Amino acid sequence: MRIEQLMERMQLPARAEFASLSGGLARRTLIARALAGQPDLLLLDEPTNHLDLASVLWLEQFLLSEKVALFFVTHDRAFLRRLATRIVELDRGVLTNWDCSYETYLVRREERLEAEERQQAAFRQEARPGGGVDPPGRPRAAQTRRGRASRRCRRCGPSAAPAGSGWAASTSAWPGRRGPA
């Protein structure tokens, strides 16, 4: 009995062949079949793809009125803004739970990225040779080797630069110097 009620609520034809339905009606039929089992959680992958505007608006309204937990993946920002109450983000291998609306998530994520950039800039400033405290995790011996490699490059020219030393392999004059080394 539940499926007939859902079909009526979802404005679906009672006895239509699935293959003859439009994309929007076919999607509604699939959702009706999923909801007929009264699930606790509905997983949707790009639910608005291949739907016309009327079907998308209907789907948003229908999902808002249903009492079922949703977990969905979408690129449709309007759909996301309307339905999301929590954002789960996977960024650079780290899973972050944002218990907020999409708009709040955007603001908080931007703040976090700016804080990371400030922290990285401060670390780069400290890591410069002669520019402050020894960078964490870099033993003094490594700094000394880097200093020796730098002096050798200045003395012998670019061909003597060890691989990965940070010096450009070029035959032009070093920055800040006039003429060949």
Side-chain angles (χ1 to χ4, degrees):
M1 186 59 110
R2 174 142 166 88
I3 191 74
E4 287 83 20
Q5 292 170 344
L6 276 172
M7 298 287 276
E8 184 179 316
R9 237 179 106 208
M10 296 175 88
Q11 304 166 356
L12 291 168
R15 301 274 185 240
E17 287 292 319
F18 186 78
S20 67
L21 297 175
S22 69
L25 288 179
R27 182 69 55 113
R28 287 185 197 183
T29 303
L30 292 174
I31 291 173
R33 288 180 183 174
L35 291 173
Q38 298 178 334
D40 295 328
L41 175 66
L42 193 58
L43 301 173
L44 302 173
D45 181 18
E46 297 290 351
T48 60
N49 279 7
H50 313 295
L51 296 182
D52 59 0
L53 182 58
S55 296
V56 170
L57 295 175
W58 176 88
L59 179 62
E60 286 178 357
Q61 193 58 42
F62 181 79
L63 292 173
L64 285 170
S65 68
E66 279 297 302
K67 300 297 181 212
V68 63
L70 293 175
F71 187 93
F72 59 90
V73 176
T74 187
H75 289 91
D76 184 340
R77 292 182 184 195
F79 186 83
L80 189 59
R81 282 183 176 94
R82 181 133 171 167
L83 291 171
T85 58
R86 178 181 303 238
I87 309 291
V88 178
E89 175 189 47
L90 179 60
D91 180 35
R92 294 172 277 171
V94 176
L95 195 63
T96 307
N97 178 24
W98 302 86
D99 191 9
C100 58
S101 69
Y102 181 66
E103 298 303 323
T104 305
Y105 155 75
L106 291 175
V107 171
R108 289 180 183 173
R109 184 187 66 174
E110 186 63 31
E111 290 170 353
R112 184 192 75 203
L113 292 174
E114 287 173 0
E116 283 179 10
E117 181 57 37
R118 284 191 302 271
Q119 183 181 17
Q120 289 173 358
F123 179 77
R124 284 190 301 268
Q125 179 67 29
E126 289 177 0
R128 286 193 185 128
V133 182
D134 291 339
R138 181 178 291 273
R140 183 160 300 280
Q143 290 180 346
T144 304
R145 280 193 307 273
R146 188 176 62 205
R148 279 195 306 262
S150 298
R151 286 189 296 279
R152 185 175 348 138
C153 289
R154 285 189 205 110
R155 192 175 57 243
C156 301
S159 61
S165 68
W167 287 92
S170 167
T171 56
S172 63
W174 292 103
R177 294 183 117 190
R178 296 178 190 265

